[in-house]
Amino acid sequence: MTMKVTIPILVSVFAFNVFTTYQSCGEQDCHEEKELVMAKCIATITNHGPYAPPNLPCRQAVAASDMVCICRTLSHLDETSVSASKLVHLAKDCGKPVPVGSKCGSWTIPPPLSSPSQRNMHKLSCIA
C-alpha cells in the first residue's frame, strides 16, 4: 500500500520541479514581453527585406520590455520569422542596447565597427 501511494507523489514532485526549475535558477521570464515585441515590431524585425524604422506601437513595446531577456530567450523557432540581428538593431535604436558578446538567439553580438561618436549621429530615439 505504501508503495502505491509513494510513486504518484514522487511523480508529482518530479513534474513540479521540471516545470519550475528555470524560475528557481533565476531565469527571468519575459515570454509575454517577447510576444508583444514580436507582434508590434514584426515589420521592423522580419527576416524578409531591409530593416524598417519602428512605428510608435513598436517603440512603446520596446520601451516597456527587457530586450536583453528577449534576446536571451529567442528560440530557433522564433528565428524562422524574426531576424536576431534586426532585433539587436531595434534594441539599440530604442536606447535599450544588448551588450556586445551577448547571445541573441543563435547570433552573438559583435563589437561595433565604428567609434561611439559616429554611432550617436545615426541614433533613432524610440522614446514616445
Side-chain angles (χ1 to χ4, degrees):
M1 179 69 181
T2 304
M3 186 64 127
K4 288 181 182 180
V5 173
T6 305
I7 291 176
I9 291 172
L10 288 174
V11 169
S12 297
V13 169
F14 176 76
F16 177 79
N17 285 335
V18 167
F19 292 113
T20 61
T21 300
Y22 79 96
Q23 289 286 328
S24 65
C25 291
E27 178 68 33
Q28 185 177 358
D29 183 13
C30 56
H31 176 76
E32 289 179 15
E33 292 174 13
K34 180 172 76 169
E35 294 299 316
L36 179 67
V37 168
M38 287 176 65
K40 299 288 183 180
C41 302
I42 194 63
T44 299
I45 60 175
T46 183
N47 276 332
H48 308 289
Y51 178 84
N55 59 24
L56 180 61
C58 174
R59 293 191 310 261
Q60 290 171 333
V62 171
S65 299
D66 181 345
M67 297 304 287
V68 174
C69 181
I70 290 172
C71 263
R72 185 177 58 244
T73 60
L74 196 69
S75 69
H76 288 291
L77 181 60
D78 295 330
E79 288 186 87
T80 61
S81 60
V82 170
S83 166
S85 63
K86 288 181 184 177
L87 187 62
V88 169
H89 186 173
L90 173 65
K92 183 184 75 165
D93 282 352
C94 291
K96 299 188 92 172
V98 179
V100 169
S102 299
K103 294 287 279 182
C104 190
S106 61
W107 188 60
T108 302
I109 294 111
L113 298 176
S114 61
S115 69
S117 61
Q118 290 173 326
R119 287 192 309 275
N120 287 336
M121 290 177 15
H122 296 82
K123 187 174 182 179
L124 169 68
S125 176
C126 284
I127 299 175

